Amino acid sequence: MTATPTPPLSPPPAAMADPAAGPLAEARRLVEDRSLDTVRAWKAAHPGALAIGHLPIYVPRPLLEAMDCLPVALFGGGDQVDIIRGDSYFQSYICHLPRSTVELALAGDLDALDGVLFPAICDVVRNLGGMWKLLFPDRYSSYLDLPQNLDPALGGRFYADELRRITRELVARGATPLAERALAAAIARENARRDALFALDALRRRQPWRVPASEAYLVARAGAALPAADHRALLQAYLNAALQRAVHRYDNVRVVVTGAFCEQPPLELIRTLELAGCDIVDDDFQLGWRYLEGPIPTGAGADGIEVLARAYLDLGTATASRYIGEEEKGAALVRRVRRAGAEGVIFAAASFCDPALLDQPMLEAALGAAGIPFTSLKFSENTGQLQVIREQAGAFSDAVKLWGSAA
Amino acid sequence: MSAAPTPVPAPGEDRASAPAEPRAPAKDASQLRQKQLFADYFETLAHAREAGRKVVYTFVPGNVVELLGALDLLPVLPEINALQSAMRKRSAAHIAEAEKAGHSEDVCSYVKCDLGMLKSGNIGPTGTRLPEPDLLLLSYTGCFTFMKWFELLRQEYHCPVVMLHVPYQPDGVITGEMRRYVVDQLRHQVVPALEKVAGRQLDDEELRRRLTRSRQAEDDLVAVWESARHRPSPIDGYFGGVYYIGPIFSAFRGSEDAVAYYRELRSEVEARLRRGEGPVTPDGAAAAERYRLVVEGPPNWTHFNDFWRMFSREGAVMVSSTYTRVGGLYDTGFRHDAERPLESLADYCLGCYTNLGLPSRVALLERYIRDYQADGFLINSVKSCNSFSAGQLLILRELERRTGVPGGFIESDLVDPRYFGRANIENRVQSYLQMLEARRGRSAA
Ligand code: SF4
Ligand code: SF4
């Protein structure tokens, strides 16, 4: 079965300019800033302040901002980077993200960073953290161990200790010492950014023809090297513009895409799914932005590090790299599908991504039990051959449209 | 990398041997003892239900079997099931079964082998059915896949799970915070969960006795490892070494049996040392020692003896290896300690080889290359295991740079025979050994 031809993304009537064109162009500029020129500019404007990179999925960015550091989310090199040296550091059976990250670093594209954090997500990122120490012994880098034991007295305390350690290490390298008031303010800015992201998600769920996933992806990703307040402003500008668009509603299939929480698919792949008739109404792309489900609680007199630690325990989302204790595997995905009013799920995992691929059969079983159709594909960040994916997604959307299942 | 070899089959015994090859050499007393130990263990497991014994599934690296033993709980270690299946040529079918059920080709084959075995009736290595678990003890050391593995098993068994999250040692240092986190989990969650399953309280004295016995066995094992400093080495510290770690990495640490096994093994090795003998190989006494190698990475289990012979027939002896440290790194000084029961259990878990950051792994390998006067080192990079494999190409370069000793790089897998390209591997091994030979010639000239 071939894909049903679908119109291009949220097209404005031919003659009318898209009010979102400006914010989208800005987002694209930021996303394509491979050599981190915006980070250099930020550092020039903030002499002595540190820019700290971090790998997926989750790092508490407000902690860095509170110390006047610029957090910079690293997602690998995507399909824009030719791998020349990176491949000689990784065997063929390891995912693509670490090789393009090493490529960027060896090419000097990450030189604007004063340090990099490697959060506990999988063995590859963990070992990449060790490689970093060997490759760049003079630069700051640190592993951030995230707790799998979610008891506040156990994992919570350990995680707060980890955050305090990172804080000490950054101060030793010139970051501003942590002050409670600064942390509370940074948390408030982060919450405001997240409000804007959640508003974007909500609009996307309601009117995906107004906010296609490929655009939402771009404006979210644009925040990688922005302070939370600047990112919020961009999100808000895009949202306001999107609301002013003249749009047509299309009869696409509503899907959730899951599995791409770390290595990111090329933007063209997301567009391909849309062109194949899928409205992506929820996803786990760049999961770090939405890792906490809800605002970080704040309260007068609260110890900010304890607040961040507790938010991680209580609000962390179900994903492959997080142990969910006695909860039922897949139940969270079923809830997401229901909440988004989705009709099906597309599993999109990076090739050789152990966490995503080991999780997938359990999630599939839960979807099967809930009667939710699904299909699955694998990608790498530089996947160029999209025709097969388009046909597969088209067949899936046709099947769901016609029979309400992937059969 | 999970794993521990184990019992049967012993060197010369696996089905990888072609029928026309020499008969398996006579076994040492310690080999016979180990074989009996595991046979009895699987027999006990087979009758665990009738005997009213409780069963806890747990993993090799960072296991806390002293606690289980002190509560009379029987451990089952799924990695051992997987590697045993591979040595018996059953892993291909088990993996196919798991892939048919939707598991990706890309992921760790240990997991798939175990799941496939489960789906095929859960028949253990001695042909008897393994009992279902009363508890899954997810000790999470050195690899994230363990977490997924037990999530998958939990769906099959619907039994309780208790987790022990062991933090990673990125900088080769156990901090007070890390230790406290592990100790507190042991004290407040793991021990209570084990006591609940056992239906009784932990006897602290019994735990201490077990930790004391662990220490005795560890002393003897380290003496065995260090015997390889001599020329010729009386042991093969990789292929032979995986047998030596069988009891201590698995169900027996802390038991009288383990103490007796390691005492006997040590005295045999010391006797070989006195006689100037090399290791025992699949073909009997080793050829004269020509090359001394250090190995990084797990072995391939589907063609274990074939792989070994590629080296042993050329006089290449593995004088030390990191794989034999995955379930406990004792030769840097750690010992279980009856005076600090939970603290030393925590340090043990934290110190397993793949729980160490890459710089520490490089430093350890460098130390082995120097201490054991190796002519070269070999990396067997397995597709299954990101925990081991991600970063090994940098380890290769870094070690060559630091030591000036050349490294060889081979790719295979643990238990998936599709990734053991015999001709390719053999060619690489041959070329590598020839390169060592040529180098030796040059430096002699
Ligand atoms: S894509 Fe998957 S395996 Fe690769 S670094 Fe990310 S989480 Fe790890
Ligand atoms: S990934 Fe490696 S360490 Fe982890 S379970 Fe598989 S073989 Fe063992």
Side-chain angles (χ1 to χ4, degrees), chain B residues 8 28 102 115 123 147 155 174 272 310 313 317 326 329-330 354 374-375 381 417 419 422 440:
Chain B
V8 270
D28 286 339
L115 291 172
I123 304 301
M147 188 172 88
Q155 299 218 313
I174 298 177
R272 280 214 296 278
M310 290 180 197
R313 288 180 173 169
V317 176
V326 296
L329 182 55
Y330 302 112
T354 48
D375 304 302
S381 181
Y419 300 102
R422 183 196 303 256
R440 183 173 286 167

Side-chain angles (χ1 to χ4, degrees), chain A residues 95 97-98 121-122 124-125 261-263 350 352-355, chain B residues 386:
Chain A
C95 61
L97 174 134
I121 163 172
C122 72
V124 174
V125 167
F261 44 82
C262 177
E263 181 172 321
F352 303 108
C353 176
D354 264 36
Chain B
N386 285 345

Side-chain angles (χ1 to χ4, degrees), chain B residues 42-108:
Chain B
F42 282 108
E43 190 62 19
T44 307
L45 284 177
H47 300 291
R49 288 283 164 254
E50 300 102 273
R53 305 282 301 274
K54 295 292 172 57
V55 175
V56 176
Y57 283 21
T58 193
F59 289 113
V60 168
N63 67 47
V64 287
V65 286
E66 290 89 347
L67 281 175
L68 304 191
L71 284 158
D72 197 31
L73 298 166
L74 288 170
V76 168
L77 301 118
E79 305 110 298
I80 292 182
N81 303 338
L83 76 88
Q84 281 294 330
S85 295
M87 290 183 104
R88 288 175 167 67
K89 306 293 180 208
R90 292 188 197 130
S91 55
H94 292 337
I95 290 168
E97 185 77 28
E99 289 181 359
K100 209 165 70 195
H103 292 273
S104 170
E105 233 184 80
D106 289 359
V107 302
C108 170

Side-chain angles (χ1 to χ4, degrees), chain B residues 246-261:
Chain B
I248 205 163
F249 277 15
S250 62
F252 303 99
R253 211 180 54 239
S255 69
E256 297 282 9
D257 286 331
V259 172
Y261 169 77

Side-chain angles (χ1 to χ4, degrees), chain B residues 183-252:
Chain B
V183 167
D184 286 353
Q185 290 178 85
L186 287 170
R187 182 172 291 130
H188 299 299
Q189 292 185 336
V190 173
V191 169
L194 295 175
E195 286 177 334
K196 189 167 173 196
V197 170
R200 62 155 117 150
Q201 280 209 313
L202 178 67
D203 175 348
D204 292 338
E205 275 315 306
E206 176 58 17
L207 177 61
R208 287 203 180 88
R209 279 192 289 278
R210 284 180 178 266
L211 292 169
T212 302
R213 293 197 288 260
S214 294
R215 185 184 196 109
Q216 289 166 357
E218 288 156 7
D219 283 343
D220 286 335
L221 177 61
V222 170
V224 169
W225 293 147
E226 297 199 335
S227 70
R229 289 171 186 245
H230 293 82
R231 285 174 187 266
S233 167
I235 63 161
D236 185 292
Y238 181 58
F239 295 111
V242 301
Y243 292 97
Y244 303 155
I245 57 177
I248 205 163
F249 277 15
S250 62
F252 303 99

Side-chain angles (χ1 to χ4, degrees), chain A residues 56-77:
Chain A
I57 312 180
Y58 173 77
V59 155
R61 291 172 62 108
L63 183 67
L64 301 175
E65 284 205 19
M67 303 171 73
D68 295 329
C69 300
L70 178 68
V72 180
L74 303 176
F75 293 106

